[in-house]
Amino acid sequence: MADLIEELGNYRQRKVTDLSDTHVARLQQSLQELEDQVIDEAKKINPKRGTLKLRTTAAIALRPKLKQLIEQTYLTAVQTNISEYDNAASWLVATFKKYPIPEEFKEITELDLTTIQQLKRAAYLPFEDLGNQFANDLAQEVYNSTLTATSTDDMVSNLRGKINGVYQSSNNEEAQELVDFIANNPDKTEDIKTAAERLNTIYGRDRLGNNLRRYATQMVQDSLMGFDGQFAKYRADELGLTHYKYSGTTVRDTRDFCRRNVNKVYSEDDIRRIWTTQTWKGKAQGDPFVVRGGYNCRHHWQPTDPDWDL
């Protein structure tokens, strides 16, 4: 049984991880598009031209347009990503085909479909809230620039930083080459890290920890994994399964918690006891079946039964 459950859990991890990478790439492309469109609109306002009243009036009028741009780029990408959560549900159910369970639980059921839609709606709301927050932040940046008569170049640079941080588009030839390299080579992890460090050197510390790309990218990864975990727990409850194997592979920067527990089987009671009595670096608040090892964790709780002879 142990080998089969490990194989099924690793299959699930590979499929969901690949989907997560696709979602991150789609999101980040949407943010590059958002950056370009926001800058096109912002450049129509010269923070040093005209009276203060005219400048601030123009800045206020830009707010609904910024919200619209976020909806057309970032939130459209989010909606596409979430529509593909159905795939994660199907992959989980595919692992159940190997289980000694009633045949009706080896396929997606009508109740499953209802649950999936509810989970998808819930997954969208944090992204929507984040988009609204940054729509206000961008609008406030334009308004502040008109009040202080900031140069257009500085206003544009600040707006780019709020959207993509060090990954913003740039007139600096070296910086743009690095940005393009990162966008076009998502699988080259170490090279991307080196490029990002060089971008930080170019832009300095003001470019910015608090940007839409940073928060949304983390949310994309954790949202899909959270959905996968929620659906797995719901499916296990439907079957009366109370044990789970911590599944997935380990890499160089795998958390010590995940490294210690991978391929181990625990009861639900044991899992919840671990979460309430242990701490580790990167641990996230929330239900252990949703947050697993913590932020950006790619491990899964694979439902199982120690009494099965598979």
Side-chain angles (χ1 to χ4, degrees):
M1 180 192 75
D3 290 344
L4 177 59
I5 297 298
E6 180 178 351
E7 176 187 336
L8 296 175
N10 288 342
Y11 161 82
R12 184 172 153 216
Q13 183 194 35
R14 289 193 303 271
K15 300 292 284 186
V16 175
T17 295
D18 288 347
L19 183 60
S20 175
D21 291 342
T22 298
H23 286 182
V24 168
R26 180 183 290 135
L27 172 91
Q28 293 180 350
Q29 178 61 40
S30 77
L31 295 182
Q32 291 295 337
E33 295 170 1
L34 173 63
E35 180 185 319
D36 292 340
Q37 294 176 26
V38 166
I39 298 311
D40 286 344
E41 291 296 326
K43 282 182 175 179
K44 296 176 183 178
I45 301 174
N46 187 329
K48 292 188 173 183
R49 183 182 301 158
T51 66
L52 177 61
K53 182 177 180 180
L54 286 174
R55 297 198 308 264
T56 55
T57 299
I60 292 171
L62 186 59
R63 284 177 179 264
K65 181 62 176 180
L66 293 174
K67 188 173 186 297
Q68 180 184 39
L69 293 178
I70 285 176
E71 291 172 350
Q72 292 173 345
T73 55
Y74 158 72
L75 285 178
T76 295
V78 168
Q79 289 171 335
T80 301
N81 284 349
I82 291 176
S83 72
E84 294 174 353
Y85 284 13
D86 297 24
N87 294 331
S90 296
W91 295 325
L92 172 73
V93 173
T95 68
F96 283 23
K97 292 181 184 297
K98 303 287 187 178
Y99 287 2
I101 59 176
E103 289 298 319
E104 61 265 27
F105 288 103
K106 296 183 178 183
E107 304 290 342
I108 295 287
T109 67
E110 288 296 323
L111 184 57
D112 288 342
L113 294 175
T114 300
T115 301
I116 289 168
Q117 290 307 311
Q118 291 171 343
L119 292 175
K120 287 162 64 176
R121 283 195 293 271
Y124 178 77
L125 295 178
F127 290 101
E128 184 178 45
D129 289 343
L130 185 65
N132 289 335
Q133 173 191 328
F134 272 89
N136 291 331
D137 287 351
L138 294 173
Q140 192 64 45
E141 182 64 42
V142 174
Y143 184 78
N144 291 344
S145 295
T146 63
L147 281 177
T148 58
T150 302
S151 71
T152 299
D153 286 346
D154 285 345
M155 177 183 70
V156 165
S157 181
N158 290 337
L159 289 169
R160 291 189 190 279
K162 284 185 176 294
I163 297 170
N164 280 309
V166 297
Y167 302 101
Q168 63 190 271
S169 299
S170 175
N171 292 328
N172 180 305
E173 184 176 347
E174 179 190 1
Q176 190 58 50
E177 287 177 355
L178 292 168
V179 169
D180 291 342
F181 173 82
I182 291 169
N184 295 327
N185 298 277
D187 57 325
K188 297 182 178 180
T189 306
E190 290 301 318
D191 291 336
I192 287 175
K193 182 179 179 181
T194 300
E197 290 172 351
R198 180 59 186 154
L199 281 171
N200 276 298
T201 300
I202 295 172
Y203 286 120
R205 61 183 179 181
D206 61 327
R207 285 295 191 276
L208 288 162
N210 301 324
N211 57 75
L212 181 55
R213 178 182 174 123
R214 174 191 175 191
Y215 292 123
T217 296
Q218 179 177 300
M219 284 175 60
V220 164
Q221 296 168 326
D222 289 343
S223 177
L224 173 59
M225 294 298 297
F227 168 88
D228 177 74
Q230 288 173 306
F231 187 68
K233 181 63 169 64
Y234 148 78
R235 253 320 191 101
D237 289 345
E238 288 290 296
L239 283 164
L241 299 177
T242 59
H243 287 73
Y244 300 81
K245 186 169 190 174
Y246 198 54
S247 299
T249 55
T250 57
V251 294
R252 180 175 54 84
D253 58 350
T254 295
R255 291 185 177 94
D256 289 341
F257 169 83
C258 296
R259 199 178 298 277
R260 288 195 308 270
N261 291 294
V262 71
N263 292 327
K264 292 184 178 179
V265 176
Y266 295 105
S267 69
E268 178 177 349
D269 289 342
D270 286 338
I271 293 168
R272 296 197 181 279
R273 177 183 52 77
I274 289 171
W275 250 253
T276 57
T277 60
Q278 296 184 19
T279 59
W280 57 88
K281 185 177 180 180
K283 181 181 180 181
Q285 295 296 316
D287 188 279
F289 292 96
V290 178
V291 300
R292 294 148 292 104
Y295 302 107
N296 201 27
C297 175
R298 296 194 171 192
H299 291 91
H300 305 262
W301 291 109
Q302 182 69 24
T304 188
D305 186 332
D307 294 331
W308 283 343
D309 182 20
L310 298 178

